Amino acid sequence: MAIAVYPGSFDPITKGHMDIVERAAQIFDELIVAVVHNPSKKPLFTMEERVEMIRVASQHLTNVTVKSFSGLLVDFAKKEKANAIVRGLRAVSDFEIEFQMALMNKTLYPQAETVFLATTTDYAFISSSMVKEVASFGGDVQEYLPPIVQERMAEKYGKKGT
Ligand code: PNS
């Protein structure tokens, strides 16, 4: 059985991420969206909020589960018996760091292959950090977000972000 982990900060999940989730869910038998707990970053949304938003956004996908993890991604992948790690690639600028991570993860846990999916061109330029910055200054970012995230962003920023 092909089990894949799709790791990330997902602060918050965007339509770009959801595009990768939907496509990966068609390729693998099981897809685990894995939200990282990174003590050195201060996220806008709590772990619980991020996990809940992804659960709601992916509830139509029966082979997708959402979990959180701390520590090394490969340790989580091993625990979940995953044989693949999925990452989305937006632009060439993503490639260098993603390539480094893929090689390091392969060294640490050879049983899991990193699989890159190219983001759809519609969302190639968006990122969670850009969405948060624009929303924080009152810009409209709703079209880049799943409905549940649109609601949560509106709650965070009041009228802004809507
Ligand atoms: O959405 P992001 O922030 O680009 O995701 C980065 C992520 C979560 C994939 C990466 O930071 C990660 O794997 N963190 C867990 C710790 C770890 O395994 N680090 C070594 C990676 S080679």
Side-chain angles (χ1 to χ4, degrees), residues 67-78:
K67 296 184 180 179
S68 61
F69 76 101
S70 347
L72 282 180
L73 169 61
V74 287
D75 289 337
F76 177 78
K78 208 178 289 180

Side-chain angles (χ1 to χ4, degrees), residues 7-10 36 41 69 71-74 87 98 101 104-105:
S9 309
F10 304 112
V36 69
K41 272 194 194 170
F69 76 101
L72 282 180
L73 169 61
V74 287
R87 292 287 287 169
E98 292 297 334
M101 284 201 290
M104 178 59 85
N105 286 333

